[in-house]
């Protein structure tokens, strides 16, 4: 009987959308490995609604750091959603931080343009999920399709976007030899 390799994965969130995205991406990229994926409460130590790309990335990094300090696993992953105001307008996106065997990869999802009224509500301290729930009369959309689904007519979902971002962030683990930098290179 052939035994498959099994790896443990800690996701720095209990949000089922994030856990499912991580599990789906890992199993698609590494189909010969069985992944035991568990979500845990890991603080981001940033605002509940990160308002810049930098703050969003820091939140994901903080979640991975916390997970490494408190749990033992083969893989550590965090997905942090945030918003920012760019020259072309406000948008929401997520950063993905993955750590495996002491190596870290950072990825980012696509941007979803946000209406100015939504961005202004976020600037007043509201969270994107709550603003979208109010606008579209939904309940807990952040653990479902998210703003992505609402603003694209259910053609794109938060989980789908997170899965794609996770898969692309796994590239350095698929091709480690291409991503290694010799110690004498700058």
């Amino acid at each position: 009987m052939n035994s498959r390799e099994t790896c443990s994965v800690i996701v720095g969130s209990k949000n089922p959308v994030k856990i499912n995205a991580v599990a789906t991406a890992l199993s698609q990229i590494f189909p010969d490995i069985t992944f035991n994926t568990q979500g845990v409460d890991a603080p981001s130590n940033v605002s509940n609604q990160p308002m810049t790309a930098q703050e969003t990335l820091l939140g994901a990094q903080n979640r991975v750091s916390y997970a490494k300090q408190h749990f033992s696993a083969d893989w550590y992953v965090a997905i942090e959603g945030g918003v920012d105001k760019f020259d072309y307008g406000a948008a929401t996106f997520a950063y993905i931080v993955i750590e495996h065997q002491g190596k870290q990869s950072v990825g980012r999802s696509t941007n979803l343009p946000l209406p100015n009224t939504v961005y202004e509500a976020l600037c007043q301290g509201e969270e994107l999920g709550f603003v979208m729930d109010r606008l579209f009369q939904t309940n807990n959309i952040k653990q479902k399709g998210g703003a992505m689904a609402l603003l694209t007519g259910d053609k794109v979902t938060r989980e789908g976007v997170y899965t794609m971002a996770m898969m692309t962030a796994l590239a350095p683990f698929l091709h480690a030899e291409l991503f290694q930098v010799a110690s004498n290179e700058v």
Side-chain angles (χ1 to χ4, degrees):
M1 173 191 262
N2 285 344
S3 64
R4 290 170 53 111
E5 179 183 354
T6 301
C7 290
S8 58
V9 182
I10 295 293
V11 179
S13 173
K14 288 203 169 187
N15 184 323
V17 168
K18 295 177 181 183
I19 297 165
N20 292 340
V22 170
T24 299
L26 283 167
S27 65
Q28 286 184 13
I29 295 292
F30 302 107
D32 296 331
I33 300 173
T34 299
F35 292 95
N36 295 325
T37 307
Q38 175 188 358
V40 300
D41 285 322
S44 67
N45 295 322
V46 297
S47 305
N48 287 338
Q49 178 58 72
M51 293 298 293
T52 66
Q54 182 179 359
E55 183 182 19
T56 307
L57 175 57
L58 180 60
Q61 291 168 327
N62 288 343
R63 289 179 193 272
V64 164
S65 179
Y66 177 90
K68 284 176 32 189
Q69 291 171 13
H70 294 88
F71 300 92
S72 178
D74 299 304
W75 295 81
Y76 299 93
V77 181
I79 301 173
E80 186 75 18
V83 299
D84 207 336
K85 180 94 178 216
F86 302 100
D87 292 342
Y88 49 84
T92 185
F93 51 85
Y95 271 100
I96 287 77
V97 175
I98 305 167
E99 188 155 324
H100 175 61
Q101 296 178 338
K103 293 186 171 66
Q104 195 174 87
S105 177
V106 174
R108 187 173 145 173
S109 75
T110 187
N111 280 356
L112 172 70
L114 290 175
N116 283 335
T117 56
V118 171
Y119 182 73
E120 289 167 12
L122 302 178
C123 288
Q124 298 302 314
E126 292 189 66
E127 286 185 53
L128 181 58
F130 299 125
V131 174
M132 299 309 290
D133 279 340
R134 186 175 64 246
L135 283 175
F136 287 86
Q137 285 116 33
T138 54
N139 183 32
N140 199 18
I141 196 65
K142 70 181 186 176
Q143 291 195 358
K144 298 173 188 165
M148 291 282 178
L150 293 176
L151 291 174
T152 65
D154 289 319
K155 302 295 187 270
V156 177
T157 65
R158 188 176 192 212
E159 185 173 323
V161 168
Y162 288 176
T163 299
M164 178 66 74
M166 175 73 186
M167 290 171 71
T168 58
L170 285 166
F173 300 105
L174 268 174
H175 301 282
E177 71 285 357
L178 296 176
F179 286 86
Q180 290 179 352
V181 177
S183 59
N184 60 355
E185 291 182 7
V186 175

